[in-house]
Amino acid sequence: MSENQNSRTLICSVVFLDIVEYSRKPVAEQIRLKDRFNALLSQALKDIAVSDRIILDTGDGAAISLIGDPEDAMLLATNFRDAVAADLPGDPTRLSARIGINLGPVRLVKDINGRPNIIGDGINVAQRVMAFAQPGQVLVSRSYYEVVSRLSDDYSALFHYEGAHTDKHVREHEVYAIGDTVPGLRRRSEAKRGISPGNSGSGEDTGAYPAQISTMIRNRLYRKPRFATALAVVAILSVAVVVRSYRNEAQTQVAQGAVAATRPGVAAAGVEIKPAAAAAQDKKPAAVPGVDKKLASAVAVAEKKASPGTAPKESDREVAVVKLAITPWGEVYVDGRKRGVSPPLRDVGISAGMHQIEVRNPSFASHIKTVEAKAGDQIRIKHKFR
């Protein structure tokens, strides 16, 4: 890394690898596992240019920052995962690993020995994502998924949504798992480097030209790091906003359809629902052509809900507020039903009567309090886990 690259902030793909239960092994076994880990990692890195990567040894694994194409991180992770899975079960050097990938900002600096090093939120999030993975699993952050899944249909088919996870700092991460490797991933990697099928290890170095292009682009980024960083951040945020807007629109349409289905006189599944007053005058239920008994029963329930005079009881309404002050954080349950995490949750509405409020933190004993709520009450619960 040249002097003009020091203290530069870049958007990089970071792969974080961890040997499962490494610290619980005897020292002799740790040495065997680490030697096997290094051999498999070197094999997985053979297609990635040395100038495009910075490797940090974390003791029980490694963190690799990739300055080149974002696909390199996925290729590295899947090659390493598949190589680990190929080891025989009885092999004493067989290891189990977890892998996390993130696309985010890192800063290139020099460590105390003058060697290249990386710091920043990009590597921190990669480590958090890795911690959510199961042995043998590759998880990626939402920022990485949003970029790579749009590069190719082959790439998009690899990912499966695994939900949102909260780390120890109460920061939520949406993660995606990478499934079985598709042939298109290897073909694209070889085509990108100028390697023709059946001629990957001999003949002329056809990857020289793509390498020159990669070096040229990287040098331009170093000359204008602020512009490149801002452009990458804007692109990631734009994609996230579009995806969120589509999701909100779909949820709104589903909610409107559910409300419309319960209104009198609105057709549902080709059947007109009568108002409750008109239905009460009929001694026998009206025959609905082409509709089975289950659908007729559902129509009757919708009429009952839509009829006047069925307003919720006073005891079912939220008439009191529970004010929360939890340190450092806790999951809030009201009568066994989860209502959220505090903080950020501050207020919880409850109905009149007796309720059990429980605050849980996996690292401590739960805090439980029974309260009696009346109309207009403000009940304060303050607790600090120690």
Side-chain angles (χ1 to χ4, degrees), residues 316-383:
D316 295 335
R317 298 177 179 174
E318 294 181 351
V319 298
V321 178
V322 178
K323 298 287 187 178
L324 299 168
I326 308 300
T327 306
W329 67 275
E331 298 176 341
V332 181
Y333 291 80
V334 178
D335 298 329
R337 185 166 66 93
K338 185 175 179 180
R339 301 296 293 272
V341 178
S342 178
L345 182 64
R346 297 296 183 187
D347 299 332
V348 176
I350 59 176
S351 59
M354 301 295 295
H355 298 277
Q356 184 184 71
I357 312 297
E358 181 179 1
V359 185
R360 302 177 187 175
N361 186 308
S363 301
F364 306 93
S366 298
H367 176 69
I368 302 175
K369 185 174 182 179
T370 301
V371 299
E372 181 178 4
K374 298 179 182 179
D377 282 355
Q378 288 191 358
I379 303 169
R380 299 184 181 275
I381 296 182
K382 182 178 181 180
H383 182 69

Short mmCIF file of all heavy atoms in Angstrom, two decimals, residues 316-383:
data_model
loop_
_atom_site.label_atom_id
_atom_site.label_comp_id
_atom_site.label_asym_id
_atom_site.label_seq_id
_atom_site.Cartn_x
_atom_site.Cartn_y
_atom_site.Cartn_z
N ASP A 316 -61.33 -4.05 26.62
CA ASP A 316 -60.41 -4.45 25.56
C ASP A 316 -59.62 -3.28 25.00
O ASP A 316 -58.72 -3.48 24.20
CB ASP A 316 -61.19 -5.11 24.40
CG ASP A 316 -61.83 -6.42 24.85
OD1 ASP A 316 -61.29 -7.01 25.80
OD2 ASP A 316 -62.84 -6.81 24.26
N ARG A 317 -59.95 -2.07 25.35
CA ARG A 317 -59.26 -0.90 24.83
C ARG A 317 -58.03 -0.58 25.68
O ARG A 317 -57.98 -0.90 26.86
CB ARG A 317 -60.19 0.32 24.82
CG ARG A 317 -61.41 0.15 23.91
CD ARG A 317 -62.32 1.35 24.00
NE ARG A 317 -63.49 1.24 23.14
CZ ARG A 317 -64.49 2.11 23.13
NH1 ARG A 317 -64.46 3.17 23.94
NH2 ARG A 317 -65.53 1.93 22.33
N GLU A 318 -57.06 0.07 25.04
CA GLU A 318 -55.87 0.50 25.77
C GLU A 318 -56.22 1.79 26.51
O GLU A 318 -56.40 2.84 25.90
CB GLU A 318 -54.71 0.71 24.81
CG GLU A 318 -54.24 -0.57 24.14
CD GLU A 318 -53.07 -0.33 23.22
OE1 GLU A 318 -52.75 0.84 22.98
OE2 GLU A 318 -52.47 -1.34 22.76
N VAL A 319 -56.34 1.67 27.84
CA VAL A 319 -56.78 2.82 28.63
C VAL A 319 -55.68 3.35 29.52
O VAL A 319 -55.84 4.39 30.15
CB VAL A 319 -58.01 2.43 29.49
CG1 VAL A 319 -59.16 2.04 28.61
CG2 VAL A 319 -57.66 1.29 30.45
N ALA A 320 -54.55 2.63 29.61
CA ALA A 320 -53.44 3.05 30.46
C ALA A 320 -52.14 2.93 29.68
O ALA A 320 -52.06 2.23 28.67
CB ALA A 320 -53.38 2.22 31.74
N VAL A 321 -51.11 3.65 30.16
CA VAL A 321 -49.81 3.67 29.50
C VAL A 321 -48.74 3.25 30.49
O VAL A 321 -48.71 3.74 31.62
CB VAL A 321 -49.48 5.06 28.93
CG1 VAL A 321 -48.09 5.06 28.28
CG2 VAL A 321 -50.51 5.49 27.91
N VAL A 322 -47.87 2.31 30.06
CA VAL A 322 -46.73 1.90 30.86
C VAL A 322 -45.50 2.65 30.35
O VAL A 322 -45.13 2.54 29.19
CB VAL A 322 -46.50 0.38 30.77
CG1 VAL A 322 -45.27 -0.01 31.57
CG2 VAL A 322 -47.71 -0.38 31.27
N LYS A 323 -44.90 3.47 31.22
CA LYS A 323 -43.71 4.24 30.88
C LYS A 323 -42.47 3.40 31.25
O LYS A 323 -42.33 2.97 32.39
CB LYS A 323 -43.68 5.57 31.66
CG LYS A 323 -44.83 6.50 31.34
CD LYS A 323 -44.67 7.12 29.97
CE LYS A 323 -45.73 8.19 29.72
NZ LYS A 323 -45.55 8.85 28.41
N LEU A 324 -41.59 3.17 30.28
CA LEU A 324 -40.44 2.28 30.47
C LEU A 324 -39.14 3.06 30.53
O LEU A 324 -38.93 4.00 29.75
CB LEU A 324 -40.38 1.26 29.33
CG LEU A 324 -41.59 0.34 29.19
CD1 LEU A 324 -41.52 -0.41 27.86
CD2 LEU A 324 -41.67 -0.65 30.33
N ALA A 325 -38.26 2.64 31.44
CA ALA A 325 -36.90 3.18 31.53
C ALA A 325 -35.99 2.00 31.84
O ALA A 325 -35.75 1.66 33.00
CB ALA A 325 -36.79 4.26 32.59
N ILE A 326 -35.48 1.33 30.81
CA ILE A 326 -34.71 0.11 30.96
C ILE A 326 -33.26 0.37 30.57
O ILE A 326 -32.98 0.99 29.54
CB ILE A 326 -35.29 -1.02 30.08
CG1 ILE A 326 -36.79 -1.17 30.31
CG2 ILE A 326 -34.56 -2.33 30.34
CD1 ILE A 326 -37.19 -1.51 31.73
N THR A 327 -32.33 -0.13 31.37
CA THR A 327 -30.90 0.04 31.12
C THR A 327 -30.21 -1.33 31.24
O THR A 327 -30.46 -2.05 32.21
CB THR A 327 -30.28 1.01 32.13
OG1 THR A 327 -31.00 2.24 32.12
CG2 THR A 327 -28.82 1.29 31.79
N PRO A 328 -29.32 -1.77 30.31
CA PRO A 328 -29.03 -1.10 29.02
C PRO A 328 -30.14 -1.33 27.99
O PRO A 328 -30.40 -0.50 27.16
CB PRO A 328 -27.73 -1.76 28.58
CG PRO A 328 -27.79 -3.13 29.17
CD PRO A 328 -28.49 -2.98 30.49
N TRP A 329 -30.81 -2.51 28.04
CA TRP A 329 -31.91 -2.79 27.14
C TRP A 329 -32.63 -4.05 27.61
O TRP A 329 -32.11 -4.82 28.41
CB TRP A 329 -31.43 -2.98 25.70
CG TRP A 329 -30.60 -4.21 25.48
CD1 TRP A 329 -29.26 -4.35 25.68
CD2 TRP A 329 -31.06 -5.51 25.03
NE1 TRP A 329 -28.84 -5.62 25.39
CE2 TRP A 329 -29.92 -6.36 24.98
CE3 TRP A 329 -32.28 -6.03 24.67
CZ2 TRP A 329 -29.99 -7.69 24.59
CZ3 TRP A 329 -32.37 -7.36 24.27
CH2 TRP A 329 -31.22 -8.17 24.23
N GLY A 330 -33.83 -4.25 27.11
CA GLY A 330 -34.60 -5.44 27.47
C GLY A 330 -35.78 -5.64 26.54
O GLY A 330 -36.32 -4.69 25.98
N GLU A 331 -36.17 -6.91 26.37
CA GLU A 331 -37.36 -7.25 25.59
C GLU A 331 -38.59 -7.18 26.51
O GLU A 331 -38.60 -7.78 27.58
CB GLU A 331 -37.23 -8.66 25.00
CG GLU A 331 -36.05 -8.79 24.03
CD GLU A 331 -35.89 -10.22 23.53
OE1 GLU A 331 -36.42 -11.13 24.20
OE2 GLU A 331 -35.25 -10.42 22.49
N VAL A 332 -39.63 -6.46 26.08
CA VAL A 332 -40.78 -6.19 26.92
C VAL A 332 -41.93 -7.13 26.53
O VAL A 332 -42.31 -7.21 25.36
CB VAL A 332 -41.23 -4.71 26.77
CG1 VAL A 332 -42.43 -4.44 27.68
CG2 VAL A 332 -40.08 -3.78 27.12
N TYR A 333 -42.46 -7.84 27.53
CA TYR A 333 -43.58 -8.75 27.33
C TYR A 333 -44.74 -8.33 28.24
O TYR A 333 -44.53 -8.04 29.43
CB TYR A 333 -43.20 -10.20 27.66
CG TYR A 333 -42.24 -10.81 26.70
CD1 TYR A 333 -40.87 -10.54 26.76
CD2 TYR A 333 -42.68 -11.67 25.71
CE1 TYR A 333 -39.98 -11.11 25.86
CE2 TYR A 333 -41.78 -12.24 24.80
CZ TYR A 333 -40.45 -11.96 24.89
OH TYR A 333 -39.58 -12.53 24.00
N VAL A 334 -45.95 -8.26 27.69
CA VAL A 334 -47.16 -7.96 28.45
C VAL A 334 -48.04 -9.20 28.41
O VAL A 334 -48.51 -9.60 27.33
CB VAL A 334 -47.90 -6.74 27.88
CG1 VAL A 334 -49.18 -6.49 28.67
CG2 VAL A 334 -47.00 -5.51 27.93
N ASP A 335 -48.23 -9.83 29.56
CA ASP A 335 -49.03 -11.06 29.66
C ASP A 335 -48.52 -12.12 28.70
O ASP A 335 -49.28 -12.83 28.03
CB ASP A 335 -50.51 -10.77 29.38
CG ASP A 335 -51.10 -9.80 30.41
OD1 ASP A 335 -50.64 -9.82 31.56
OD2 ASP A 335 -52.01 -9.02 30.04
N GLY A 336 -47.18 -12.22 28.59
CA GLY A 336 -46.58 -13.25 27.76
C GLY A 336 -46.44 -12.90 26.30
O GLY A 336 -45.86 -13.66 25.53
N ARG A 337 -46.95 -11.73 25.86
CA ARG A 337 -46.87 -11.34 24.44
C ARG A 337 -45.83 -10.24 24.28
O ARG A 337 -45.87 -9.23 24.98
CB ARG A 337 -48.22 -10.85 23.94
CG ARG A 337 -48.24 -10.54 22.44
CD ARG A 337 -49.67 -10.38 21.94
NE ARG A 337 -50.31 -9.21 22.50
CZ ARG A 337 -50.31 -8.01 21.91
NH1 ARG A 337 -49.70 -7.84 20.75
NH2 ARG A 337 -50.91 -6.98 22.48
N LYS A 338 -44.87 -10.45 23.36
CA LYS A 338 -43.79 -9.50 23.16
C LYS A 338 -44.33 -8.22 22.53
O LYS A 338 -45.06 -8.26 21.55
CB LYS A 338 -42.70 -10.10 22.27
CG LYS A 338 -41.47 -9.19 22.12
CD LYS A 338 -40.38 -9.88 21.32
CE LYS A 338 -39.16 -8.96 21.16
NZ LYS A 338 -38.09 -9.61 20.39
N ARG A 339 -43.93 -7.06 23.13
CA ARG A 339 -44.38 -5.76 22.61
C ARG A 339 -43.25 -4.95 22.00
O ARG A 339 -43.51 -3.91 21.41
CB ARG A 339 -45.03 -4.96 23.76
CG ARG A 339 -46.23 -5.65 24.39
CD ARG A 339 -47.39 -5.82 23.42
NE ARG A 339 -47.94 -4.54 23.05
CZ ARG A 339 -48.91 -3.93 23.76
NH1 ARG A 339 -49.43 -4.53 24.82
NH2 ARG A 339 -49.37 -2.76 23.37
N GLY A 340 -42.00 -5.40 22.16
CA GLY A 340 -40.89 -4.66 21.55
C GLY A 340 -39.66 -4.68 22.46
O GLY A 340 -39.60 -5.40 23.46
N VAL A 341 -38.64 -3.91 22.06
CA VAL A 341 -37.38 -3.81 22.80
C VAL A 341 -37.22 -2.39 23.31
O VAL A 341 -37.38 -1.42 22.56
CB VAL A 341 -36.18 -4.20 21.90
CG1 VAL A 341 -34.88 -4.05 22.66
CG2 VAL A 341 -36.34 -5.62 21.39
N SER A 342 -36.91 -2.25 24.59
CA SER A 342 -36.70 -0.93 25.21
C SER A 342 -35.27 -0.80 25.69
O SER A 342 -34.79 -1.66 26.46
CB SER A 342 -37.66 -0.76 26.40
OG SER A 342 -37.44 0.48 27.03
N PRO A 343 -34.54 0.32 25.31
CA PRO A 343 -34.93 1.25 24.26
C PRO A 343 -34.82 0.59 22.88
O PRO A 343 -34.18 -0.44 22.78
CB PRO A 343 -33.91 2.38 24.44
CG PRO A 343 -32.71 1.71 25.06
CD PRO A 343 -33.26 0.63 25.93
N PRO A 344 -35.46 1.15 21.83
CA PRO A 344 -36.08 2.48 21.74
C PRO A 344 -37.50 2.56 22.30
O PRO A 344 -38.04 3.63 22.42
CB PRO A 344 -36.07 2.76 20.24
CG PRO A 344 -36.18 1.40 19.63
CD PRO A 344 -35.42 0.46 20.53
N LEU A 345 -38.16 1.41 22.57
CA LEU A 345 -39.54 1.44 23.05
C LEU A 345 -39.60 2.15 24.41
O LEU A 345 -38.85 1.81 25.33
CB LEU A 345 -40.08 0.02 23.18
CG LEU A 345 -41.53 -0.13 23.63
CD1 LEU A 345 -42.47 0.47 22.59
CD2 LEU A 345 -41.87 -1.59 23.88
N ARG A 346 -40.50 3.14 24.53
CA ARG A 346 -40.64 3.91 25.78
C ARG A 346 -42.02 3.76 26.40
O ARG A 346 -42.13 3.74 27.62
CB ARG A 346 -40.37 5.40 25.50
CG ARG A 346 -38.96 5.69 25.02
CD ARG A 346 -37.93 5.37 26.06
NE ARG A 346 -36.58 5.72 25.62
CZ ARG A 346 -35.47 5.42 26.29
NH1 ARG A 346 -35.57 4.74 27.43
NH2 ARG A 346 -34.29 5.77 25.82
N ASP A 347 -43.08 3.69 25.57
CA ASP A 347 -44.45 3.63 26.07
C ASP A 347 -45.15 2.39 25.51
O ASP A 347 -45.00 2.05 24.34
CB ASP A 347 -45.24 4.88 25.65
CG ASP A 347 -44.62 6.15 26.21
OD1 ASP A 347 -43.99 6.08 27.27
OD2 ASP A 347 -44.80 7.22 25.59
N VAL A 348 -45.94 1.73 26.38
CA VAL A 348 -46.72 0.56 25.99
C VAL A 348 -48.15 0.76 26.50
O VAL A 348 -48.37 1.01 27.68
CB VAL A 348 -46.14 -0.74 26.57
CG1 VAL A 348 -47.04 -1.92 26.22
CG2 VAL A 348 -44.74 -0.98 26.05
N GLY A 349 -49.14 0.68 25.59
CA GLY A 349 -50.53 0.81 25.99
C GLY A 349 -51.10 -0.52 26.46
O GLY A 349 -50.84 -1.56 25.85
N ILE A 350 -51.88 -0.51 27.55
CA ILE A 350 -52.50 -1.73 28.07
C ILE A 350 -53.95 -1.44 28.41
O ILE A 350 -54.36 -0.29 28.60
CB ILE A 350 -51.76 -2.25 29.33
CG1 ILE A 350 -51.75 -1.20 30.44
CG2 ILE A 350 -50.34 -2.68 28.98
CD1 ILE A 350 -51.13 -1.69 31.73
N SER A 351 -54.76 -2.50 28.50
CA SER A 351 -56.17 -2.36 28.82
C SER A 351 -56.37 -2.37 30.33
O SER A 351 -55.44 -2.63 31.11
CB SER A 351 -56.96 -3.51 28.18
OG SER A 351 -56.47 -4.76 28.66
N ALA A 352 -57.60 -2.08 30.75
CA ALA A 352 -57.91 -2.05 32.17
C ALA A 352 -57.83 -3.45 32.76
O ALA A 352 -58.16 -4.44 32.10
CB ALA A 352 -59.30 -1.46 32.39
N GLY A 353 -57.35 -3.53 34.02
CA GLY A 353 -57.28 -4.80 34.71
C GLY A 353 -55.87 -5.13 35.15
O GLY A 353 -54.95 -4.29 35.08
N MET A 354 -55.68 -6.38 35.60
CA MET A 354 -54.39 -6.84 36.09
C MET A 354 -53.55 -7.35 34.92
O MET A 354 -54.04 -8.04 34.03
CB MET A 354 -54.58 -7.97 37.12
CG MET A 354 -55.40 -7.58 38.33
SD MET A 354 -54.57 -6.30 39.35
CE MET A 354 -53.14 -7.22 39.90
N HIS A 355 -52.25 -6.99 34.91
CA HIS A 355 -51.33 -7.41 33.86
C HIS A 355 -49.98 -7.75 34.48
O HIS A 355 -49.58 -7.18 35.50
CB HIS A 355 -51.13 -6.32 32.81
CG HIS A 355 -52.39 -5.94 32.08
ND1 HIS A 355 -52.87 -6.65 31.01
CD2 HIS A 355 -53.27 -4.92 32.30
CE1 HIS A 355 -53.98 -6.09 30.58
NE2 HIS A 355 -54.25 -5.04 31.34
N GLN A 356 -49.28 -8.67 33.81
CA GLN A 356 -47.91 -9.01 34.21
C GLN A 356 -46.95 -8.44 33.17
O GLN A 356 -46.99 -8.79 32.00
CB GLN A 356 -47.72 -10.52 34.30
CG GLN A 356 -46.32 -10.91 34.82
CD GLN A 356 -46.09 -12.41 34.81
OE1 GLN A 356 -45.96 -13.03 33.76
NE2 GLN A 356 -46.07 -13.01 36.00
N ILE A 357 -46.08 -7.54 33.60
CA ILE A 357 -45.08 -6.93 32.73
C ILE A 357 -43.74 -7.61 33.00
O ILE A 357 -43.27 -7.63 34.14
CB ILE A 357 -44.95 -5.41 32.99
CG1 ILE A 357 -46.34 -4.74 33.02
CG2 ILE A 357 -44.06 -4.77 31.93
CD1 ILE A 357 -47.10 -4.83 31.72
N GLU A 358 -43.13 -8.16 31.97
CA GLU A 358 -41.85 -8.84 32.11
C GLU A 358 -40.84 -8.22 31.16
O GLU A 358 -41.13 -8.00 29.99
CB GLU A 358 -41.99 -10.33 31.81
CG GLU A 358 -40.68 -11.10 31.97
CD GLU A 358 -40.84 -12.59 31.69
OE1 GLU A 358 -41.97 -13.01 31.35
OE2 GLU A 358 -39.84 -13.33 31.83
N VAL A 359 -39.65 -7.92 31.69
CA VAL A 359 -38.55 -7.36 30.89
C VAL A 359 -37.42 -8.38 30.90
O VAL A 359 -36.92 -8.76 31.95
CB VAL A 359 -38.07 -6.01 31.44
CG1 VAL A 359 -37.01 -5.42 30.51
CG2 VAL A 359 -39.23 -5.05 31.59
N ARG A 360 -37.00 -8.82 29.68
CA ARG A 360 -35.99 -9.87 29.56
C ARG A 360 -34.72 -9.34 28.91
O ARG A 360 -34.77 -8.54 27.99
CB ARG A 360 -36.53 -11.03 28.72
CG ARG A 360 -37.79 -11.67 29.26
CD ARG A 360 -38.27 -12.77 28.30
NE ARG A 360 -39.57 -13.30 28.69
CZ ARG A 360 -40.24 -14.20 27.97
NH1 ARG A 360 -39.71 -14.67 26.84
NH2 ARG A 360 -41.42 -14.63 28.39
N ASN A 361 -33.59 -9.80 29.45
CA ASN A 361 -32.28 -9.59 28.85
C ASN A 361 -31.53 -10.91 28.99
O ASN A 361 -31.38 -11.41 30.10
CB ASN A 361 -31.51 -8.46 29.55
CG ASN A 361 -30.21 -8.11 28.85
OD1 ASN A 361 -29.38 -8.98 28.59
ND2 ASN A 361 -30.01 -6.84 28.56
N PRO A 362 -31.11 -11.53 27.87
CA PRO A 362 -30.52 -12.87 27.95
C PRO A 362 -29.34 -12.98 28.91
O PRO A 362 -29.05 -14.07 29.39
CB PRO A 362 -30.08 -13.14 26.50
CG PRO A 362 -30.92 -12.25 25.66
CD PRO A 362 -31.17 -11.03 26.50
N SER A 363 -28.68 -11.87 29.21
CA SER A 363 -27.49 -11.92 30.06
C SER A 363 -27.83 -11.80 31.55
O SER A 363 -26.93 -11.94 32.38
CB SER A 363 -26.52 -10.80 29.67
OG SER A 363 -26.15 -10.93 28.31
N PHE A 364 -29.09 -11.54 31.89
CA PHE A 364 -29.45 -11.33 33.29
C PHE A 364 -30.79 -12.01 33.59
O PHE A 364 -31.48 -12.49 32.70
CB PHE A 364 -29.57 -9.81 33.59
CG PHE A 364 -28.36 -9.01 33.22
CD1 PHE A 364 -28.28 -8.39 31.97
CD2 PHE A 364 -27.29 -8.88 34.08
CE1 PHE A 364 -27.18 -7.66 31.61
CE2 PHE A 364 -26.18 -8.15 33.73
CZ PHE A 364 -26.12 -7.53 32.50
N ALA A 365 -31.12 -12.02 34.89
CA ALA A 365 -32.42 -12.54 35.30
C ALA A 365 -33.53 -11.58 34.88
O ALA A 365 -33.35 -10.35 34.87
CB ALA A 365 -32.45 -12.74 36.82
N SER A 366 -34.70 -12.11 34.51
CA SER A 366 -35.81 -11.29 34.04
C SER A 366 -36.37 -10.45 35.19
O SER A 366 -36.38 -10.86 36.35
CB SER A 366 -36.90 -12.16 33.44
OG SER A 366 -36.44 -12.87 32.33
N HIS A 367 -36.87 -9.26 34.82
CA HIS A 367 -37.54 -8.38 35.78
C HIS A 367 -39.05 -8.47 35.54
O HIS A 367 -39.53 -8.18 34.45
CB HIS A 367 -37.05 -6.94 35.60
CG HIS A 367 -37.76 -5.95 36.49
ND1 HIS A 367 -37.58 -5.93 37.86
CD2 HIS A 367 -38.66 -4.97 36.20
CE1 HIS A 367 -38.34 -4.97 38.38
NE2 HIS A 367 -38.99 -4.38 37.39
N ILE A 368 -39.82 -8.91 36.56
CA ILE A 368 -41.26 -9.13 36.42
C ILE A 368 -42.00 -8.25 37.42
O ILE A 368 -41.63 -8.16 38.59
CB ILE A 368 -41.61 -10.61 36.66
CG1 ILE A 368 -40.85 -11.52 35.67
CG2 ILE A 368 -43.11 -10.84 36.53
CD1 ILE A 368 -41.05 -12.99 35.92
N LYS A 369 -43.07 -7.60 36.93
CA LYS A 369 -43.88 -6.75 37.79
C LYS A 369 -45.35 -6.89 37.39
O LYS A 369 -45.68 -6.87 36.21
CB LYS A 369 -43.44 -5.29 37.65
CG LYS A 369 -44.16 -4.35 38.62
CD LYS A 369 -43.58 -2.95 38.54
CE LYS A 369 -44.26 -2.02 39.54
NZ LYS A 369 -43.69 -0.65 39.48
N THR A 370 -46.21 -7.08 38.42
CA THR A 370 -47.65 -7.17 38.20
C THR A 370 -48.28 -5.82 38.51
O THR A 370 -48.03 -5.23 39.58
CB THR A 370 -48.27 -8.26 39.09
OG1 THR A 370 -47.64 -9.51 38.79
CG2 THR A 370 -49.76 -8.37 38.83
N VAL A 371 -49.12 -5.31 37.60
CA VAL A 371 -49.71 -3.99 37.75
C VAL A 371 -51.22 -4.09 37.54
O VAL A 371 -51.71 -5.00 36.87
CB VAL A 371 -49.10 -2.98 36.75
CG1 VAL A 371 -47.62 -2.82 36.97
CG2 VAL A 371 -49.38 -3.41 35.31
N GLU A 372 -51.94 -3.15 38.13
CA GLU A 372 -53.37 -3.03 37.91
C GLU A 372 -53.62 -1.70 37.20
O GLU A 372 -53.29 -0.63 37.71
CB GLU A 372 -54.14 -3.07 39.23
CG GLU A 372 -55.66 -2.98 39.04
CD GLU A 372 -56.44 -3.07 40.35
OE1 GLU A 372 -55.79 -3.13 41.41
OE2 GLU A 372 -57.68 -3.07 40.29
N ALA A 373 -54.18 -1.78 36.00
CA ALA A 373 -54.35 -0.59 35.17
C ALA A 373 -55.79 -0.08 35.26
O ALA A 373 -56.74 -0.86 35.25
CB ALA A 373 -54.01 -0.92 33.72
N LYS A 374 -55.90 1.24 35.36
CA LYS A 374 -57.19 1.92 35.32
C LYS A 374 -57.14 3.00 34.25
O LYS A 374 -56.07 3.40 33.79
CB LYS A 374 -57.52 2.53 36.69
CG LYS A 374 -57.64 1.50 37.80
CD LYS A 374 -57.94 2.17 39.13
CE LYS A 374 -58.03 1.14 40.27
NZ LYS A 374 -58.30 1.79 41.57
N ALA A 375 -58.33 3.49 33.87
CA ALA A 375 -58.40 4.50 32.82
C ALA A 375 -57.57 5.73 33.18
O ALA A 375 -57.71 6.27 34.27
CB ALA A 375 -59.86 4.89 32.56
N GLY A 376 -56.68 6.13 32.26
CA GLY A 376 -55.88 7.34 32.46
C GLY A 376 -54.60 7.12 33.25
O GLY A 376 -53.83 8.07 33.45
N ASP A 377 -54.35 5.90 33.72
CA ASP A 377 -53.15 5.65 34.52
C ASP A 377 -51.88 5.76 33.69
O ASP A 377 -51.87 5.44 32.48
CB ASP A 377 -53.20 4.25 35.15
CG ASP A 377 -54.11 4.21 36.38
OD1 ASP A 377 -54.60 5.29 36.78
OD2 ASP A 377 -54.32 3.11 36.91
N GLN A 378 -50.80 6.20 34.33
CA GLN A 378 -49.46 6.16 33.75
C GLN A 378 -48.57 5.39 34.73
O GLN A 378 -48.25 5.88 35.80
CB GLN A 378 -48.90 7.57 33.51
CG GLN A 378 -49.56 8.31 32.36
CD GLN A 378 -48.82 9.58 31.99
OE1 GLN A 378 -47.81 9.93 32.62
NE2 GLN A 378 -49.30 10.26 30.96
N ILE A 379 -48.22 4.18 34.35
CA ILE A 379 -47.48 3.27 35.22
C ILE A 379 -46.02 3.29 34.80
O ILE A 379 -45.70 3.04 33.64
CB ILE A 379 -48.05 1.85 35.13
CG1 ILE A 379 -49.53 1.85 35.49
CG2 ILE A 379 -47.28 0.90 36.05
CD1 ILE A 379 -50.24 0.56 35.18
N ARG A 380 -45.14 3.59 35.73
CA ARG A 380 -43.71 3.71 35.42
C ARG A 380 -42.97 2.44 35.88
O ARG A 380 -43.14 1.99 37.01
CB ARG A 380 -43.09 4.93 36.09
CG ARG A 380 -43.75 6.23 35.61
CD ARG A 380 -43.05 7.45 36.20
NE ARG A 380 -43.68 8.67 35.77
CZ ARG A 380 -43.42 9.29 34.62
NH1 ARG A 380 -42.51 8.78 33.82
NH2 ARG A 380 -44.04 10.41 34.28
N ILE A 381 -42.16 1.90 34.97
CA ILE A 381 -41.30 0.75 35.28
C ILE A 381 -39.88 1.13 34.93
O ILE A 381 -39.55 1.36 33.75
CB ILE A 381 -41.75 -0.52 34.51
CG1 ILE A 381 -43.13 -0.95 34.96
CG2 ILE A 381 -40.73 -1.65 34.71
CD1 ILE A 381 -43.63 -2.21 34.27
N LYS A 382 -39.06 1.21 35.96
CA LYS A 382 -37.65 1.56 35.77
C LYS A 382 -36.79 0.42 36.30
O LYS A 382 -36.97 -0.03 37.43
CB LYS A 382 -37.31 2.87 36.51
CG LYS A 382 -35.87 3.33 36.33
CD LYS A 382 -35.65 4.64 37.06
CE LYS A 382 -34.23 5.13 36.87
NZ LYS A 382 -33.99 6.41 37.58
N HIS A 383 -35.87 -0.08 35.44
CA HIS A 383 -35.05 -1.21 35.87
C HIS A 383 -33.68 -1.14 35.18
O HIS A 383 -33.59 -0.78 34.00
CB HIS A 383 -35.71 -2.54 35.51
CG HIS A 383 -34.93 -3.73 35.96
ND1 HIS A 383 -34.77 -4.07 37.29
CD2 HIS A 383 -34.24 -4.67 35.24
CE1 HIS A 383 -34.03 -5.16 37.38
NE2 HIS A 383 -33.69 -5.54 36.14
#
